Amino acid sequence: MRTGSEPRTARSALRARLWLSVWGLVWAIFGTAAFALAGRPGWAVACGVLWLVVTVDLAMILRHLRQGPHYQPGPDIPPYRPPEHRDP
């Protein structure tokens, strides 16, 4: 059921994001280590920054998963209703 407010109330597939973040974390760790051992400090720092970003994203995903159906609804949870009245 569409409500017309999907851009603001869209829900992401958190389990898919979880596994993609884990995949990205593994590659960021590997890239940081490989570039550091190869003597490429610029690329090692870039992979290290990516490692940090992926870790923060992973923490947020896990937090949302633990909050339950508000962030990870099942098929029996209806979509959010758009606000009936907007304040100026």
Side-chain angles (χ1 to χ4, degrees):
M1 176 173 75
R2 292 189 170 267
T3 62
S5 65
E6 281 79 15
R8 286 187 323 219
T9 59
R11 302 171 180 171
S12 65
L14 291 176
R15 287 184 186 93
R17 278 183 59 196
L18 173 74
W19 290 112
L20 288 172
S21 290
V22 168
W23 180 254
L25 184 67
V26 168
W27 278 105
I29 292 169
F30 173 75
T32 304
F35 284 122
L37 292 174
R40 302 282 191 154
W43 284 105
V45 168
C47 286
V49 170
L50 183 62
W51 183 357
L52 178 65
V53 169
V54 171
T55 302
V56 169
D57 185 46
L58 194 57
M60 291 303 297
I61 292 168
L62 290 173
R63 179 176 174 258
H64 287 173
L65 279 171
R66 288 191 179 123
Q67 286 181 341
H70 177 70
Y71 279 97
Q72 189 64 20
D76 57 331
I77 307 292
Y80 300 120
R81 297 242 179 244
E84 298 296 326
H85 179 285
R86 291 187 183 217
D87 293 330

